[in-house]
Amino acid sequence: MPVDVVLLLYSSWILGACVLVSGADRILRFSEQGTFKILQVADMHYGNGASTGCSDLTATQMPFCSDLNTTAFVRRLIHEESPDLIVFTGDNIDWAASDAKVSMDAAFAPAIESNIPWAAVLGNHDVESNLRRPELMEYIAQLKNSLAKVIDPPAEGVYGWGNFYHSVLGPAGADTENLSLLNLYFLDSGDNSKLPGIKGYDWIRRSQQIWFSNLSQKLRAASSAPALAFFHIPLPEYDTVLYRDQISGRQLEDVYSAPVNSGFFSTLLESGDVKATFVGHDHINDYCGKLMGVHLCYGGGTGYHAYGRVGVERRARIIVATINEEVQGHFPNISTWKRLDDTHMSKIDTELLEL
Ligand SMILES: *[C@@H]1O[C@H](CO)[C@@H](O)[C@H](O)[C@H]1NC(C)=O
Ligand SMILES: *[C@@H]1O[C@H](CO)[C@@H](O)[C@H](O)[C@H]1NC(C)=O
Ligand SMILES: *[C@@H]1O[C@H](CO)[C@@H](O)[C@H](O)[C@H]1NC(C)=O
Ligand SMILES: *[C@@H]1O[C@H](CO)[C@@H](O)[C@H](O)[C@H]1NC(C)=O
């Protein structure tokens, strides 16, 4: 390669790096209308794009479907809802991806081109291409407008790649403009158990829970803002809630949690700030249920290559926090609904998640 081309590439890399740093440092805040809207995209299961087929559609739909339908759906969602943040809750890519970076570029492209800040965590399938968790997360963290981090705040010996948080500040110009009104936690729920003889999915480890409690305590010392948590694999309590409370939405398959209960739910209760958790993993479950004051919600499967069920449309969850000074001081209440990938992008299961 000629030297001037190398220099050109090098300088555009530096330029790129600056842009990326500014993406990571982007401040999230409520709009002047007092809202903050999140689009949760679960389980895209992106492969190689046009050559990767779809699952669980009717025989007539199958031949005309590929990963590009997932891209088109995520674009429609962004266009329809204009979110303030897009969160991908894992299994963004899977075994069908021959080059993880190429597939992640394509999978996250609708978010990147929208110029809306976005974040992602990993699921259990992301590692089935040619990168391991650390490399996947380092790659995601440096993509344009990505708010994802490998670990933030940094700490030694914490398990997982993609444990981080972001605060959502009050509207610009408001007296809450420097105060967090909502905190968002992102955690790595792993892939498969690493203990010999223990089969099944991994779990949110003790070291992550200590890290989380520590962080939550620090955030609670600064403001009494409520928080939401995003990760991939449901906690065993997603099953418990089915016997305790009425759920909204559908439970069309079992809850596929880790084989053991790591206690993260009790850690959440002890900290007290997390009012709702949002996971993916079980594509045809899209319910929310409230257990001991915490709303346990699924996103519902978004990706076409992923398994689903014939007749159950691919879908995504929208979460809106609204500040209502009269009802709850400065802190927001949370409402949520889902959008289906049908002709009119049907809006279903709208509900208020009472805090
Ligand atoms: C996938 O996209 C193609 C091309 O736009 C379209 O014809 C087809 O109906 C889509 N399939 C589904 C299941 O949405
Ligand atoms: C927020 O912080 C900025 C920068 O430090 C300061 O200029 C501004 O006055 C602060 N706003 C409020 C409401 O305290
Ligand atoms: C907990 O917080 C303290 C003080 O901020 C910090 O020094 C320590 O590294 C943190 N530990 C973990 C595991 O996050
Ligand atoms: C939640 O906030 C919205 C917007 O301010 C408001 O209309 C609604 O009444 C609030 N609900 C509760 C229970 O606070």
Side-chain angles (χ1 to χ4, degrees):
M1 202 183 301
V3 169
D4 53 345
V5 173
V6 173
L7 281 178
L8 187 71
L9 286 177
Y10 184 66
S11 56
S12 60
W13 176 78
I14 292 184
L15 212 62
C18 293
V19 172
L20 303 171
V21 167
S22 68
D25 290 345
R26 206 143 144 175
I27 290 172
L28 299 177
R29 38 171 97 252
F30 280 81
S31 68
E32 276 172 32
Q33 292 72 42
T35 60
F36 187 80
K37 186 191 275 189
I38 300 169
L39 166 64
Q40 180 194 0
V41 177
D43 300 87
M44 288 189 291
H45 277 256
Y46 217 88
N48 289 336
S51 61
T52 296
C54 302
S55 307
D56 301 319
L57 296 172
T58 62
T60 50
Q61 287 175 313
M62 277 295 207
F64 307 103
C65 185
S66 73
D67 279 342
L68 302 188
N69 289 69
T70 304
T71 304
F73 180 34
V74 177
R75 280 205 184 110
R76 290 178 83 198
L77 285 162
I78 294 170
H79 184 255
E80 181 71 29
E81 293 285 358
S82 301
D84 299 298
L85 175 70
I86 304 161
V87 178
F88 297 93
T89 47
D91 286 2
N92 312 300
I93 62 169
D94 71 9
W95 53 268
S98 6
D99 181 329
K101 290 185 183 176
V102 171
S103 292
M104 286 193 287
D105 287 347
F108 299 128
I112 292 171
E113 75 200 16
S114 74
N115 218 27
I116 294 167
W118 60 277
V121 292
L122 301 176
N124 51 301
H125 285 289
D126 295 87
V127 290
E128 292 166 347
S129 181
N130 62 342
L131 293 182
R132 316 305 308 158
R133 299 185 96 71
E135 300 155 344
L136 287 164
M137 215 51 218
E138 277 159 19
Y139 188 72
I140 293 172
Q142 55 81 52
L143 286 171
K144 186 181 166 224
N145 294 332
S146 165
L147 298 184
K149 313 234 173 133
V150 177
I151 183 157
D152 181 43
E156 290 296 317
V158 177
Y159 189 77
W161 293 270
N163 298 303
F164 58 99
Y165 82 104
H166 284 283
S167 292
V168 187
L169 307 182
D175 56 1
T176 53
E177 70 176 351
N178 299 325
L179 184 71
S180 177
L181 301 185
L182 179 69
N183 292 315
L184 310 174
Y185 296 104
F186 303 84
L187 290 123
D188 182 10
S189 57
D191 43 72
N192 297 308
S193 160
K194 300 290 180 281
L195 298 184
I198 312 273
K199 297 228 181 312
Y201 296 116
D202 211 339
W203 49 87
I204 296 176
R205 303 287 188 87
R206 184 88 65 206
S207 62
Q208 292 171 280
Q209 298 187 39
I210 294 168
W211 171 88
F212 163 82
S213 305
N214 209 7
L215 171 59
S216 161
Q217 190 174 22
K218 196 178 94 184
L219 294 176
R220 280 180 287 127
S223 107
S224 46
L228 311 176
F230 297 87
F231 45 94
H232 181 71
I233 300 176
L235 303 176
E237 283 77 6
Y238 273 72
D239 188 57
T240 314
V241 75
L242 296 172
Y243 308 98
R244 293 281 191 93
D245 192 19
Q246 286 237 279
I247 57 165
S248 59
R250 277 138 295 272
Q251 188 242 336
L252 299 178
E253 64 178 316
D254 287 347
V255 176
Y256 290 97
S257 313
V260 289
N261 191 328
S262 74
F264 187 53
F265 187 76
S266 40
T267 297
L268 290 179
L269 292 181
E270 287 168 15
S271 295
D273 55 342
V274 173
K275 305 301 180 191
T277 63
F278 299 90
V279 302
H281 193 59
D282 301 328
H283 309 169
I284 53 175
N285 290 343
D286 73 351
Y287 63 84
C288 283
K290 190 180 188 183
L291 186 68
M292 303 177 198
V294 180
H295 297 273
L296 303 172
C297 298
Y298 276 105
T302 302
Y304 277 94
H305 171 58
Y307 78 82
R309 181 175 287 185
V310 179
V312 176
E313 296 88 350
R314 265 57 175 189
R315 61 200 58 215
R317 181 175 290 283
I318 289 87
I319 305 144
V320 183
T322 308
I323 309 168
N324 185 345
E325 300 195 17
E326 280 159 37
V327 180
Q328 292 170 331
H330 285 305
F331 295 110
N333 65 33
I334 311 284
S335 56
T336 184
W337 59 86
K338 281 154 290 181
R339 287 278 181 186
L340 305 183
D341 194 17
D342 58 13
T343 321
H344 302 291
M345 300 207 81
S346 304
K347 179 176 176 178
I348 62 164
D349 300 334
T350 302
E351 63 183 309
L352 185 72
L353 301 181
E354 283 181 47
L355 302 191

